Structure formats: C-alpha cells, structure tokens
Amino acid sequence: MLVNSRRTWIRDIFTYRGTVLPRIWRRLLFIAGLSCALTLGHIELQSFIVRDITPLPFTLTGFALSVFLGFRTTTAYNRFWEGRTLWGSLVNGSRSLTRQALHWLGPAAGAAVEPAQAEALALRRRRLVYAAIAFSHALRQRLRDEDDLDEYAALLDPPLVAALRRDGNRPQAIVTRMAELLREAYDAGQLHAQHVPVLEASLIQMTDVQGGCERIRNTPLPYVYRVLVHQIVGFYCFTLPFALIHPLGWFAPPVTVLVAYAFFGLDAIGEELDNPFESDANDLPLASLCRGIEIDLRARLGETDLPAPAVPHHGLLL
C-alpha cells in the first residue's frame, strides 16, 4: 500500500506513482497519436473528411459506459474492502485467542502446581500464541504465492516445521496443530470444558478468514464481464477522435486523451483492486499487518525483544 505524507492538491494532480498511468500510458499515447494524425489530415491536409459523423452517439454511449464502469469499480472496491475486513478480523481474533490462552489455560482453582507443570503450561501457552503468529505469516504467503517457511519457522516446533515443508495448505496445518495443543491442555486438566467451545470458536474464526480471503483471490471477476468492459472501452476510445475532429478542431486531441484517461483509468482501477492481496502500490499491506500481529501477541507474553514495526520503503508499505 502506498503511504504518502500530507500532500497538496496540486501535487496530487501531477503525481505518477500509485496511479493507473503505468498501466494505461501506452494506450493513451496511441490515442493521442491517432487523434493528432486525424486532426492534421482533416484540418491541414484536407485529406480526411469526417463532417458527417455526429458526436451524439458517443454522448449517449459515454453516459451508459460511465455507469457501467462505475459499477465495475464499486464491485472491485467491495472486494478490496472485504479483504481488509477479513484481515482486521484476523488481527482481533489473534488478540482474543492470546488473551484466552493466557487466562483460561491453567490449573483448576486451588490445585497445587508443581514447577514442572507450571513450565509445561507456560510452554503450551507460548506455542499456541506463536502458532497464531505463524498462521498470519503462512496465510499472507499463501495469498501471495510465496514460499518462505524459514520466515516463521522459528515460531514453531521442529517436527511441525518438517511437516509444513510437505504440506500444501500450511495455514490449516498450523490451525490443526493449535487444536492439538488445546486438546493436550484439556487432557492435562489445564482447560475447563466450558472454555473449550470459546477457544474452538477462535480457531474457526481463523479458518473462516482464510476461506474468505481464498474466495476473493480465487474467484476473480468473470472473464466474459472483464472482456466486455475492455472491448467497449477500447472501441469507444479508439473511435472517439473521428467524432471530435470536426466540432473541436485542434482541441480534439487533448479532449480525446482526457476522456480516454477517464475511461481507461476506471477500467484499470477495477483490475488493480480486483485482487487486494498482491504487493502492488494499492494492495493491502499484509506484511505490515502480520508484523503488527506478531508485536502485539509477543508483547502479551511479556517479551521485550520485539521486532520493529513495519515502516514504508520509499512510501510503499508491503
């Protein structure tokens, strides 16, 4: 995600980074060249006469196309916002699970606790919290088609790390291990039966977050809809200069480019936001969210040697 300091209105107008221009500048350049060539041929060389073409069909089509593109952009933004909502749910769910693990995993009231049992309990709590941290990293890598188990291997037991290297769904393997830790705590008398459903609900929430993110990532906009948008926008923008040459003259090229920028830009925004889990300038900062989860959860364990918060690199927060 692109993180900018407070900018002025003028600077925003002339900015390039983070806009749709890197995606559409070639199309705009072609439209500008075509429009200039047609205008030159019509006005200066009198070799191309387009007096009989009226802009009325383009006016009516442009209005319908703008509504169509507005709906497309809204749909894409809804996918972006749903992805952010799911990751916000993961942040809150991880904090809740940590609180539950620290306060509800323990011996019965009044029961004597030997030092070995207290140490085993502390280790089980830490493993559960560390697994929650590892889940966020594993989910981020799964959504971005990354494969760097060593990034969070230190948070997990060596047997689990070895198993994850062969597992095709690492986030769910980690959740399964968390369920095993809860079952071990229950069998050891460290988890009351009434608290089991609450902790299980936290694990279900993590699974639901993964499923929701995978649904967004693996179900893009239907191909037929996307192609239709490209075809209509392309045909409209490439034929628009023919209708503007006669009424506008040499003003036709800049007006054509401006209209093309609006329509091509809205189309590109829809593509940009369609998958919010990538690492483009306008995608969600998943790495930053994972780092925040790790800092919060390890701080609840009483650790002081915490990783530094994520900071933007050249204004880009991954």
Side-chain angles (χ1 to χ4, degrees):
M1 175 177 286
L2 194 62
V3 181
N4 290 324
S5 58
R6 188 173 182 86
R7 298 169 61 92
T8 63
W9 184 78
I10 294 296
R11 290 187 63 184
D12 283 338
I13 289 180
F14 293 100
T15 190
Y16 177 81
R17 190 178 183 212
T19 67
V20 295
L21 283 174
R23 288 176 173 263
I24 66 173
W25 69 268
R26 294 177 180 85
R27 282 169 270 176
L28 293 178
L29 188 62
F30 179 82
I31 292 291
L34 176 63
S35 182
C36 289
L38 293 176
T39 304
L40 177 65
H42 174 64
I43 296 179
E44 302 295 336
L45 304 179
Q46 298 294 318
S47 61
F48 193 81
I49 307 300
V50 291
R51 296 181 184 276
D52 295 333
I53 299 180
T54 173
L56 180 60
F58 292 89
T59 303
L60 299 176
T61 306
F63 175 76
L65 183 58
S66 63
V67 175
F68 194 52
L69 287 173
F71 174 77
R72 166 76 172 95
T73 305
T74 301
T75 302
Y77 180 77
N78 288 338
R79 292 167 59 89
F80 174 89
W81 184 247
E82 183 182 3
R84 182 60 184 90
T85 302
L86 288 168
W87 271 83
S89 177
L90 178 61
V91 172
N92 294 336
S94 300
R95 293 169 177 170
S96 297
L97 178 65
T98 300
R99 184 186 67 252
Q100 294 161 1
L102 295 179
H103 294 280
W104 291 354
L105 262 66
V113 180
E114 299 180 358
Q117 294 176 331
E119 183 178 352
L121 175 61
L123 179 60
R124 183 169 290 120
R125 288 172 173 170
R126 186 169 66 253
R127 285 176 174 173
L128 188 63
V129 174
Y130 275 13
I133 299 172
F135 174 86
S136 65
H137 289 291
L139 179 59
R140 167 178 54 83
Q141 292 188 2
R142 181 176 177 85
L143 295 175
R144 290 183 170 177
D145 291 325
E146 298 174 351
D147 186 12
D148 186 12
L149 180 57
D150 295 333
E151 182 181 359
Y152 56 91
L155 300 170
L156 304 170
D157 299 332
L160 179 57
V161 174
L164 289 177
R165 295 191 186 279
R166 304 184 300 270
D167 201 297
N169 192 341
R170 291 173 180 172
Q172 277 308 291
I174 294 174
V175 172
T176 300
R177 176 53 183 160
M178 296 169 70
E180 293 173 354
L181 290 171
L182 294 178
R183 179 55 189 262
E184 293 173 3
Y186 177 78
D187 293 340
Q190 297 174 345
L191 179 61
H192 195 278
Q194 293 180 347
H195 296 157
V196 172
V198 179
L199 285 161
E200 176 64 19
S202 296
L203 300 186
I204 292 175
Q205 181 183 9
M206 300 174 75
T207 302
D208 290 342
V209 168
Q210 179 183 351
C213 291
E214 290 175 343
R215 171 174 49 80
I216 295 174
R217 178 184 179 276
N218 299 330
T219 312
L221 193 71
Y223 180 74
V224 63
Y225 188 95
R226 181 164 58 90
V227 170
L228 179 62
V229 173
H230 292 341
Q231 290 174 340
I232 296 177
V233 171
F235 181 79
Y236 181 90
C237 292
F238 291 141
T239 57
L240 183 61
F242 294 92
L244 298 183
I245 292 175
H246 177 63
L248 297 183
W250 280 112
F251 287 100
V255 173
T256 301
V257 171
L258 180 62
V259 175
Y261 176 71
F263 285 142
F264 282 138
L266 287 173
D267 187 20
I269 289 175
E271 290 186 342
E272 182 90 5
L273 301 180
D274 198 45
N275 183 3
F277 304 123
E278 296 178 347
S279 54
D280 294 330
N282 293 295
D283 290 326
L284 294 174
L286 301 187
S288 175
L289 293 172
C290 291
R291 179 66 63 84
I293 290 175
E294 182 172 356
I295 293 174
D296 286 348
L297 270 56
R298 291 178 63 178
R300 300 287 73 76
L301 291 174
E303 299 182 10
T304 55
D305 186 15
L306 303 175
V311 295
H313 180 67
H314 297 296
L316 186 63
L317 193 62
L318 296 177

